[in-house]
Amino acid sequence: MTKQILAMIAIGGIFAFTSCGDSQNTVETTEAQDVQEVAVEATMLSVDTMSSEISWIGSKPTGKHNGTIRVTGGDLALEGTEVVGGNFAIDITSLTVLDMPEGSENHGKLRGHLMSDDFFSAEEYPSAEFIITSLSAYDQTQLVVSDEFETENTPLEADVHIIDNPTHLVSGNLTMRGTTKNVTFPARVQVIDGQVVAAAKFNINRTDWGLQYNNEANVVDKIKDGFIYNTVNVGFELVAR
């Protein structure tokens, strides 16, 4: 093993140690939960894919990247003026990187890397899905704490990233890269003129879904992964008519 690799391992160890620095709020993540059956009298509204979108921000000590991912379909169940269930599909292959000029070398490298087996493995898992398991009134005490090492590019804390005026805590099974985890996050959910308008901003830990260098990665690549924050800022805007 070369001195260069040994030095990188040492640096990686320092960052792993210092990752127990300032804490920030993320959503509660658990194993997949049972999906409640929706009453037959519920009104089903179709997700408007032209008005709905996922946003993301990924961070590392030396900078941040951001982009979007398309919502490709789904339904929300409405009983009276309350959303009681629903789902939406996400096209991983539609991921965009907005902070770099499209067609540039660095844009291509980053997007290709995110699509590769090191992260989304988009060829094998081209889509993701979110299925609502429960909704309740917003309660800020449900936010949980995680730790990230402090730099000028530390991911936004949840109380900064959070959507304005959340109304609900939404729990649902999020499936990415063949892994399903249940997440609970604050959202603003409104029924306006018979349509549902929902928005949320929250943080997830990418490693919960295996979005990291895999077991086949070499030592240097695994060390590189230690220099990418596990916390990813996620947002979505969803309209169902």
Side-chain angles (χ1 to χ4, degrees):
M1 185 176 292
T2 67
K3 291 182 179 180
Q4 182 182 17
I5 292 178
L6 286 171
M8 293 181 71
I9 292 173
I11 293 171
I14 291 170
F15 269 77
F17 179 78
T18 58
S19 67
C20 298
D22 292 352
S23 62
Q24 62 189 122
N25 294 320
T26 59
V27 295
E28 179 184 5
T29 303
T30 64
E31 296 305 311
Q33 304 295 313
D34 292 336
V35 178
Q36 301 296 319
E37 192 170 326
V38 176
V40 293
E41 60 268 22
T43 300
M44 301 302 294
L45 305 180
S46 296
V47 170
D48 182 347
T49 59
M50 298 300 293
S51 303
S52 303
E53 192 172 62
I54 308 293
S55 62
W56 60 270
I57 304 173
S59 304
K60 54 186 178 180
T62 56
K64 296 187 178 187
H65 299 293
N66 69 284
T68 62
I69 310 177
R70 288 182 53 218
V71 174
T72 56
D75 300 283
L76 294 182
L78 194 64
E79 290 185 6
T81 59
E82 293 292 326
V83 176
V84 294
N87 64 85
F88 57 89
I90 305 163
D91 178 10
I92 296 298
T93 66
S94 71
L95 181 144
T96 67
V97 178
L98 298 179
D99 61 286
M100 296 178 177
E102 188 173 355
S104 66
E105 182 180 358
N106 286 336
H107 178 282
K109 284 182 177 180
L110 176 59
R111 191 181 184 283
H113 185 53
L114 292 173
M115 293 293 100
S116 75
D117 290 344
D118 290 333
F119 281 86
F120 282 108
S121 191
E123 185 173 349
E124 184 174 0
Y125 304 103
S127 62
E129 183 181 42
F130 182 79
I131 302 176
I132 295 172
T133 55
S134 68
L135 293 95
S136 60
Y138 173 63
D139 178 1
Q140 64 178 353
T141 64
Q142 291 292 323
L143 295 177
V144 297
V145 173
S146 68
D147 293 323
E148 291 285 17
F149 54 88
E150 189 70 24
T151 71
E152 62 181 10
N153 293 302
T154 302
L156 294 173
E157 295 189 10
D159 57 0
V160 175
H161 186 59
I162 192 173
I163 196 74
D164 291 335
N165 304 314
T167 59
H168 291 75
L169 281 174
V170 179
S171 294
N173 292 334
L174 175 60
T175 301
M176 294 190 294
R177 194 175 169 151
T179 297
T180 302
K181 298 286 184 179
N182 191 270
V183 295
T184 299
F185 55 84
R188 185 176 64 242
V189 183
Q190 300 170 296
V191 180
I192 303 173
D193 297 331
Q195 68 179 11
V196 176
V197 179
K201 290 182 178 181
F202 54 96
N203 295 339
I204 62 171
N205 185 324
R206 64 186 174 89
T207 65
D208 288 335
W209 287 268
L211 303 182
Q212 62 194 96
Y213 284 91
N214 56 42
N215 291 333
E216 287 72 37
N218 61 43
V219 172
V220 174
D221 280 345
K222 288 185 177 181
I223 292 171
K224 288 179 183 178
D225 190 68
F227 287 84
I228 304 172
Y229 284 109
N230 291 336
T231 298
V232 177
N233 302 128
V234 177
F236 72 73
E237 295 183 5
L238 203 67
V239 177
R241 312 182 193 279

